[in-house]
Structure formats: C-alpha cells, structure tokens
Amino acid sequence: MQGRDLLLIMSVMAIWGFNFSMIKLGVSALDPLLIAAARFVCATFPIIFFIRRPNVGWRYLVSYGLVFGTGIWGMASCAITFGLSSGMASVLLQTDVLTTVLVGVLVYKEVISRRMAAGILLALAGLVVSIIYTNGNVTWSGVMFIMISAVCWPLAGVIVRQSGTRQAFAFNIWGMLFAPVPLIVLSVAFNGWDGVVATYQHWSINAWISVLFQAYPTTLFGYWVWNKMVLKYPMSQLAPMTLMVTVFALLSGYLIYGEQLSAAQWVACSAFLSGIILVLYPQRAVSRAAQSERLRPTAL
C-alpha cells in the first residue's frame, strides 16, 4: 500500500473514531433521532444536486436510507443517549463483523472456518465480560440499541449488494436522502411534536458542531476516501484497519469526556478485538477475490 494512501486511510479512521465523541456531544442534551436526522440532511444537501442518481431501483435507495439512517446511526445515537460511553459504543459496534458472518452463512451459504469459529467464540466471550464488568460505561438499554445497530450493518450491505450498483458514493448520497424522514417520524412517535419543538428551542453550538462534523468530515470526506481505497485495494487489506476506529474512539472518549475502561474491560475488549481480527483474516486458502465480496459495509 502506498504511503500516501495509508496516511489517508488512517486519517479517516481517526475521524470515524472521533465521530463517536461528536455524537455524544450532540445527543447529551437533545433528541438523538433528530440529531441523526440533521446529520443526514446536511450530508445530503446540497451535494445531491451535483451527484447523478445511480442506475438502481428506488426501492434499494429507500430501504438503504431506512436501514443506514435509522437502523445503524439512529440506534447508535440512542445507545449513547441511554448510557453507553462513546468508546464502548465503538467497541460493541464491531459486533457487526459477527452479524455479517451470520448473514453470510444464512443468506449466501458461506462456510465458517475453524479459525473464524475460534475468533467468534473469543469475541463473544470478550463481549460478555466487557458488559458484565462495567464501571458505569455500559447500560443494558445502551447495549440493546447498539446491538440493533450492529445487526443493521450487514443488512445495509445486503441492500447495496442486491442493488448491483458500481457507484458506491452516489448510492450512499442518494440513499441518505431517505434517512431523515423515518428518524423524524420515529422521534415524533416516541416524544410527540413537543420533542421536536424542544429540540429546536434548545439547539446550541454543540449541536451544530456535532451535526456538521458527522455530516462533512465523517460522512462525505470519509466515504469519499474509503470508497476510493475500496476500488484500489482488496478488502483483505482494508477491513482490519477499521479496528483502528475503536482505538481512536477510546482515546477521544478519554481525552474529551474522561471515559475509562475497568481493568476487566481492558482485557475483555482486547480479547474481543483479537477475536474480530481472527474473523477478518480468513484462512489463506480463501482467495482475495472471495474476501473482497464480504458483506461488511464500507462506511461509518
């Protein structure tokens, strides 16, 4: 991998890791669903007027907007609102690797190797311990929401794959067009219009910083760089680098909010991420072409 490309990728990993702290900045005092909706409004407009719609059916764009906007980032924002620290949210979201493997087995009849099975067991053991031995940075409601988010990651990948698109960036932009409305509807269903009014009245500079960071550095710049790298390098090289998102998220959570893991959680999270690495590194017999077809979405 070229040095310039490696630097770009690591920059995106740092941005995506820092993004969890920026989500927390916005949802600490305001409705997380409306913060997520504002993120996708800003990420979509006005750039959508300069990006041609990908040649796919509208149903793929609508379903992607629902799953990506509400299922992944709406639920991840709710997880942080309901007591999950920004660092632990990034760790537990890596469970999407396991749910991706599950979808691959159920939908595409993929075979789990012994190495992958060992990685899954190690990751699950680390996951359970990190949840049980909490120092207040994990709540059961937060875990529930982040697990929904992790399940939706491979579903978004299935939608992209079934669409047959070769225009990943355009597909993402046009798909995000359909993300804000379900988030707003869900917010109104839970909190009524009074919640929308209260969010508008209490909108602050912190909310703007949170939304704009999520929309531009995280979404537009991050996806643009990542999709270029996906076209240039095999996913077998790129996928393990996404684990650096967790490292940067834990670091930013500590520096900004003073978030810390318990001693047991450090060991458990290390075991969890080691298991994820085993899953991401298939046996050598698996070809690079097969690895590049993995379902894990290429966006945070």
Side-chain angles (χ1 to χ4, degrees):
M1 182 177 293
Q2 297 177 6
R4 177 177 176 274
D5 291 341
L6 180 61
L7 180 61
L8 276 173
I9 291 172
M10 294 306 296
S11 298
V12 171
M13 297 305 103
I15 290 171
W16 284 351
F18 190 70
N19 184 58
F20 284 90
S21 291
M22 290 296 98
I23 292 175
K24 184 172 182 176
L25 181 66
V27 304
S28 296
L30 299 174
D31 187 331
L33 297 171
L34 295 180
I35 289 289
R39 165 191 180 172
F40 292 115
V41 169
C42 292
T44 304
F45 297 99
I47 192 173
I48 196 169
F49 297 118
F50 304 96
I51 303 293
R52 180 175 297 179
R53 183 175 73 86
N55 187 27
V56 298
W58 284 103
R59 66 183 182 279
Y60 295 113
L61 298 174
V62 173
S63 57
Y64 180 80
L66 177 63
V67 172
F68 185 71
T70 303
I72 297 177
W73 292 112
M75 295 302 99
S77 297
C78 287
I80 294 175
T81 298
F82 282 90
L84 195 63
S85 71
S86 60
M88 283 304 298
S90 71
V91 172
L92 298 185
L93 192 54
Q94 290 289 345
T95 311
D96 74 305
V97 174
L98 307 184
T99 56
T100 295
V101 171
L102 179 62
V103 169
V105 171
L106 296 177
V107 178
Y108 298 102
K109 309 303 179 184
E110 296 180 357
V111 178
I112 298 179
S113 67
R114 291 183 179 179
R115 182 173 181 172
M116 291 176 68
I120 291 172
L121 291 176
L122 181 60
L124 289 176
L127 179 66
V128 171
V129 173
S130 68
I131 293 174
I132 294 176
Y133 291 93
T134 175
N135 60 2
N137 56 3
V138 173
T139 63
W140 285 109
S141 55
V143 170
M144 179 187 70
F145 281 112
I146 206 67
M147 288 299 106
I148 295 174
S149 180
V151 169
C152 286
W153 268 115
L155 296 182
V158 169
I159 293 170
V160 174
R161 190 171 182 176
Q162 291 296 320
S163 73
T165 184
R166 289 290 180 263
Q167 302 165 285
F169 186 74
F171 185 94
N172 195 63
I173 294 297
W174 279 85
M176 289 191 299
L177 177 66
F178 300 97
V181 172
L183 288 163
I184 295 172
V185 170
L186 199 58
S187 174
V188 172
F190 280 111
N191 304 314
W193 285 107
D194 290 342
V196 177
V197 173
T199 298
Y200 172 78
Q201 291 176 339
H202 293 90
W203 197 268
S204 63
I205 185 64
N206 284 349
W208 277 120
I209 293 173
S210 172
V211 166
L212 294 179
F213 187 91
Q214 292 180 65
Y216 298 113
T218 299
T219 303
L220 296 184
F221 175 74
Y223 291 172
W224 173 68
V225 171
W226 184 255
N227 288 327
K228 285 184 64 177
M229 297 301 111
V230 167
L231 295 175
K232 193 172 183 179
Y233 300 102
M235 280 303 296
S236 58
Q237 282 186 263
L238 294 175
M241 292 187 182
T242 61
L243 295 178
M244 290 302 299
V245 173
T246 297
V247 175
F248 286 115
L250 289 170
L251 179 61
S252 65
Y254 171 74
L255 293 176
I256 298 175
Y257 301 109
E259 296 177 355
Q260 296 187 30
L261 303 183
S262 66
Q265 282 180 321
W266 275 115
V267 175
C269 288
S270 298
F272 174 77
L273 295 177
S274 297
I276 296 299
I277 290 174
L278 288 176
V279 175
L280 288 175
Y281 278 108
Q283 294 181 14
R284 293 182 180 180
V286 179
S287 67
R288 285 189 173 185
Q291 294 175 40
S292 67
E293 290 298 320
R294 292 230 164 260
L295 299 178
R296 194 175 188 220
T298 56
L300 288 177

